[in-house]
C-alpha cells in the first residue's frame, strides 16, 4: 500500500498536478516538526504567494543593495549559463589588504533547491543592513554565488540545461558552468567554503522502514569530507569546530541537524551512507583544495513551498554561524590550513567503508512521532584506504595531454612545463584490466581500470607538464590522475585508454628536483 501511494504521488508529480495534491508532507507533520519561524524575510520569494525567486528578481534585489552599499559590496559575472545568462558573484569586503579570511558561499547548484538561493540573499541583506553583523567584515572577506545553476533554477530542475548534474562534475568539468564556477573558486582561494543545497525528505527507500514508511526529520544535514587525501586535522577541525558551532546555533532556535546521510536499496535491504568521499562533489572537492568545506543540505526537495521560510532561515543561520566561527577562529583556521598542506605521504586511490549497524532517528509516518530505527550504515568517517601508493614528488603528463593540464589548472593546480627534454626515472602505469561501462553516467561511458606500475627510465620531451605535489591542492591531483581513483580522468573517459596501454601519466618519485 505504502509503495502504491508513493508511486501514485510520483505519477501525479510527473503529470504536473498542483502541489497540494503531490506534496507528500501532511499538515500535521509540518505543524508539529517544521513550523515557520517568526522572522521577516525581505527576499523576493516572500513578496509573492507562489513560486520562488527567479533570475530577474534576484538581479534586481542584488542591484538595489549594490546601489546602496558600493563601499563594501562589488558585483562581477564569472561566466554564462548554457542559455546565456550571466552568473553573478558578489564580494563583500571592507577596506584594502589581503590578510582577511576568505569565505565562499554558494547556492543553487541544483536548480530545484530554491531555499539555498533564498537563504543566501537574506544573508547578503543582513550582512549589509543589520548592524549586529557589521563586525564580521573586520576580519572576513565574503564571496557569494547565490544561483550557480541559473538555467536549472529558472525551470526548477536539478540539472543544468544539457542534463549534466553540476555536483557530479567537479573533476571532469564537462559543463560550462562547472568550468566558470571552479575557475572562480580556484581564483578566490577561499579558506572556508559552503555549498548550500536542499535534500529530499520523502524517499522511495524510506517506504521500507516502519509500518507506513518514514520521513527524514532533520531540518539540515552537514556533508563534510571523510576522504583520506584530505589531511586528518583539517577533516576533524571542520567537523569539531564549524559543524559543531552551527549545530549549536540551530539548536538554540529549535532547528535540528545531523551529519548528512542518504539511503539506497542494496539487494532488497535499505543501506544508509553517511559523509562524503567523492571528489566529483563539492564537499570533498573543496576540502581537497585545502579549504574548510561543508555541503549543507536543508530539508526541502519535493515539498513545494511548505516550510519555505524555515528552510531559507535555516540556510541563513548556517551561513551566519560559519561566518562567526571564521571570525572567532581566524588565526587558528590559517594555522590548520598551513599544517594540512604539509604533505600527507600517501596517495589514497580507493577507499573502503565498513557496514555497521546504528540507531537512526526518523519520523515514523504511522505514529507521526520521532522514533529510533536500527539501520545498516556505511559511514565515510570510518573509511579505510583500500588501495594506496606513496605520493610522488610530481605527476608528469606528456605534452599532448594539454586538455588534462587545462582541467588541472582550472582545479587550481599550478603546472610547470619542462623547457628541455630530460631522461629520468619514473613510474609507468600499464592498464592490466579494462572495462568501459555500456550505460552512460553523467554524459560519459565510464572506464574502470586496474594498472600495474613499473619503474622505467623515460625520455621526457620539452613541454612535458609537471604537477608538483608540494602545493596546496595536491590532493586534487591524486584524485584526478591516479587511474583507479573513482573520479579520475581515466574513470570519466577524459583520458581514453584500453587494455594493455601505457598511460601518458607518470609518477616521479626521485629526490632531485626536476
Ligand atoms: Zn543539491
Amino acid at each position: 500500500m505504502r509503495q502504491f501511494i508513493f508511486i501514485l504521488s510520483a505519477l501525479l508529480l510527473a503529470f504536473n498536478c498542483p502541489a497540494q495534491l503531490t506534496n507528500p508532507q501532511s499538515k500535521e507533520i509540518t505543524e508539529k516538526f517544521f513550523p515557520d519561524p517568526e522572522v521577516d524575510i525581505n527576499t523576493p520569494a516572500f513578496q509573492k504567494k507562489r513560486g520562488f525567486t527567479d533570475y530577474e528578481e534576484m538581479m534586481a534585489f542584488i542591484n538595489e543593495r549594490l546601489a546602496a552599499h558600493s563601499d563594501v559590496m562589488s558585483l562581477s559575472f564569472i561566466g554564462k549559463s548554457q542559455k546565456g545568462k550571466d552568473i553573478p558573484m558578489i564580494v563583500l569586503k571592507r577596506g584594502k589588504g589581503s590578510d582577511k579570511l576568505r569565505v565562499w558561499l554558494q547556492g543553487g547548484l541544483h536548480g530545484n533547491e530554491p531555499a539555498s538561493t533564498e537563504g543566501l540573499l537574506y544573508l547578503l541583506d543582513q550582512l549589509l543592513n543589520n548592524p549586529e553583523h557589521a563586525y564580521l567584515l573586520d576580519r572576513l572577506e565574503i564571496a557569494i554565488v547565490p544561483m550557480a545553476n541559473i538555467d536549472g533554477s529558472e525551470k526548477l530542475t536539478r540539472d543544468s540545461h544539457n542534463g549534466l548534474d553540476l555536483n557530479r562534475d567537479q573533476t571532469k568539468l564537462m559543463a560550462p558552468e562547472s568550468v566558470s564556477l571552479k575557475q572562480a573558486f580556484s581564483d578566490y582561494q577561499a579558506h572556508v567554503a559552503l555549498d548550500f543545497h536542499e535534500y529530499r525528505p520523502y524517499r522511495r527507500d524510506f517506504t521500507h522502514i516502519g509500518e507506513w514508511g518514514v520521513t527524514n526529520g532533520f531540518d539540515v544535514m552537514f556533508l563534510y569530507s571523510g576522504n583520506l587525501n584530505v589531511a586528518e586535522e583539517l577533516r576533524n577541525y571542520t567537523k569539531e569546530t564549524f559543524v559543531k558551532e552551527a549545530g549549536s546555533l540551530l539548536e538554540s532556535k529549535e532547528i535540528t541537524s545531523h551529519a548528512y546521510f542518504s539511503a539506497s536499496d542494496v539487494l532488497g535491504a535499505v543501506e544508509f551512507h553517511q559523509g562524503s568521499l567523492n571528489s566529483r562533489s563539492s564537499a570533498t572537492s573543496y576540502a581537497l583544495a585545502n579549504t574548510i568545506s561543508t555541503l549543507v543540505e536543508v530539508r526541502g526537495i519535493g515539498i513545494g513551498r511548505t516550510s519555505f521560510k524555515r528552510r531559507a532561515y535555516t540556510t541563513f543561520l548556517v551561513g551566519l554561524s560559519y561566518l562567526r566561527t571564521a571570525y572567532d577562529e581566524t588565526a587558528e583556521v590559517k594555522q590548520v590550513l598551513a599544517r594540512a598542506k604539509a604533505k600527507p605521504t600517501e596517495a589514497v586511490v580507493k577507499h573502503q567503508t565498513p557496514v555497521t549497524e546504528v540507531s537512526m532517528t526518523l519520523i515514523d509516518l504511522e505514529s507521526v512521532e520521532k522514533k529510533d530505527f536500527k539501520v545498516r550504515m556505511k559511514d565515510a568517517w570510518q573509511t579505510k584506504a583500500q588501495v594506496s601508493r606513496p605520493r610522488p614528488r610530481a605527476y608528469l603528463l606528456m605534452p599532448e595531454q594539454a586538455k588534462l593540464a587545462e582541467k588541472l589548472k582550472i582545479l587550481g593546480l599550478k603546472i610547470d612545463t619542462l623547457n628541455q627534454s630530460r631522461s629520468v626515472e619514473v613510474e609507468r602505469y600499464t592498464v592490466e584490466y579494462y572495462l568501459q561501462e555500456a550505460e552512460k553516467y553523467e554524459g560519459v561511458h565510464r572506464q574502470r581500470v586496474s594498472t600495474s606500475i613499473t619503474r622505467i627510465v623515460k625520455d621526457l620531451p620539452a613541454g612535458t607538464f609537471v604537477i608538483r605535489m608540494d602545493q596546496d591542492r595536491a590532493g586534487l591531483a591524486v584524485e584526478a590522475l591516479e587511474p583507479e581513483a573513482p573520479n579520475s580522468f581515466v574513470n570519466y573517459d577524459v583520458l581514453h585508454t584500453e587494455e594493455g596501454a601505457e598511460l601518458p601519466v607518470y609518477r616521479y618519485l626521485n629526490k632531485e628536483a626536476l
Side-chain angles (χ1 to χ4, degrees), residues 109-110 112-113 158 167 196-199 295 297 301:
L109 194 62
H110 289 145
N112 59 339
E113 301 169 9
R158 176 179 175 94
N167 208 28
F196 288 96
H197 289 250
E198 291 191 90
Y199 77 87
L295 188 156
E297 293 273 13
I301 299 181

Side-chain angles (χ1 to χ4, degrees), residues 113-390:
E113 301 169 9
S116 60
T117 299
E118 210 68 30
L120 283 179
L121 293 179
Y122 181 51
L123 180 61
L124 168 67
D125 184 71
Q126 283 287 303
L127 290 171
L128 293 169
N129 291 321
N130 186 341
E132 197 188 308
H133 307 311
Y135 75 97
L136 290 167
L137 290 183
D138 293 346
R139 290 188 198 162
L140 306 180
E141 188 190 313
I142 303 163
I144 305 176
V145 179
M147 195 182 275
N149 172 11
I150 295 167
D151 301 341
S153 298
E154 292 271 87
K155 288 198 314 195
L156 284 177
T157 56
R158 176 179 175 94
D159 295 339
S160 69
H161 180 61
N162 67 1
L164 290 181
D165 183 332
L166 300 182
N167 208 28
R168 301 290 177 269
D169 199 30
Q170 307 258 349
T171 49
K172 60 186 171 64
L173 301 172
M174 280 169 61
E177 289 92 341
S178 303
V179 173
S180 303
L181 289 160
K182 188 62 79 182
Q183 187 69 64
F185 177 78
S186 296
D187 292 346
Y188 192 66
Q189 300 190 319
H191 298 92
V192 179
L194 283 172
D195 184 18
F196 288 96
H197 289 250
E198 291 191 90
Y199 77 87
R200 185 180 293 281
Y202 292 84
R203 304 171 54 91
R204 186 191 288 262
D205 338 284
F206 284 0
T207 61
H208 298 297
I209 303 171
E211 280 303 307
W212 293 8
V214 294
T215 183
N216 190 322
F218 295 105
D219 283 290
V220 56
M221 302 196 287
F222 295 102
L223 183 60
Y224 38 88
S225 188
N227 185 300
L228 299 173
N229 290 315
V230 176
E232 186 179 6
E233 185 186 2
L234 176 53
R235 282 183 267 133
N236 288 333
Y237 182 68
T238 302
K239 179 185 178 201
E240 296 302 333
T241 309
F242 282 81
V243 174
K244 205 174 189 176
E245 287 294 329
S248 308
L249 176 64
L250 294 169
E251 203 182 337
S252 74
K253 312 271 181 192
E254 296 182 339
I255 293 172
T256 56
S257 65
H258 196 274
Y260 177 78
F261 60 85
S262 180
S264 61
D265 232 308
V266 179
L267 304 170
V270 186
E271 192 172 277
F272 283 66
H273 316 266
Q274 187 165 289
S276 164
L277 296 173
N278 271 309
S279 58
R280 66 184 182 191
S281 138
S282 64
T284 286
S285 181
Y286 293 172
L288 288 164
N290 207 40
T291 302
I292 289 164
S293 159
T294 311
L295 188 156
V296 181
E297 293 273 13
V298 171
R299 187 181 187 280
I301 299 181
I303 59 171
R305 266 188 68 132
T306 303
S307 306
F308 192 57
K309 189 180 273 186
R310 185 179 181 95
R311 289 147 57 189
Y313 187 58
T314 300
T315 301
F316 157 77
L317 285 176
V318 173
L320 182 64
S321 172
Y322 269 62
L323 293 174
R324 285 179 179 169
T325 306
Y327 179 93
D328 292 340
E329 296 266 321
T330 301
E332 186 65 16
V333 165
K334 287 185 179 173
Q335 285 162 20
V336 168
L337 293 179
R339 286 196 294 265
K341 77 168 183 184
K343 290 158 287 244
T345 54
E346 266 197 323
V348 177
V349 178
K350 281 186 167 181
H351 290 75
Q352 190 169 42
T353 312
V355 180
T356 52
E357 197 168 86
V358 300
S359 177
M360 181 65 81
T361 306
L362 298 156
I363 297 175
D364 178 43
L365 293 178
E366 186 192 21
S367 59
V368 194
E369 297 286 349
K370 287 192 176 176
K371 279 193 181 170
D372 289 341
F373 294 88
K374 286 256 181 303
V375 301
R376 287 160 56 80
M377 166 73 83
K378 272 187 171 180
D379 184 354
W381 212 250
Q382 317 239 350
T383 207
K384 298 270 185 303
Q386 186 186 18
V387 177
S388 65
R389 299 176 176 139

Side-chain angles (χ1 to χ4, degrees), residues 481-506:
L481 294 175
E482 288 292 342
E484 292 89 345
N487 303 279
S488 70
F489 290 155
V490 167
N491 183 272
Y492 285 119
D493 203 17
V494 177
L495 174 57
H496 189 72
T497 187
E498 58 189 27
E499 191 174 323
E502 172 175 343
L503 294 177
V505 182
Y506 299 90

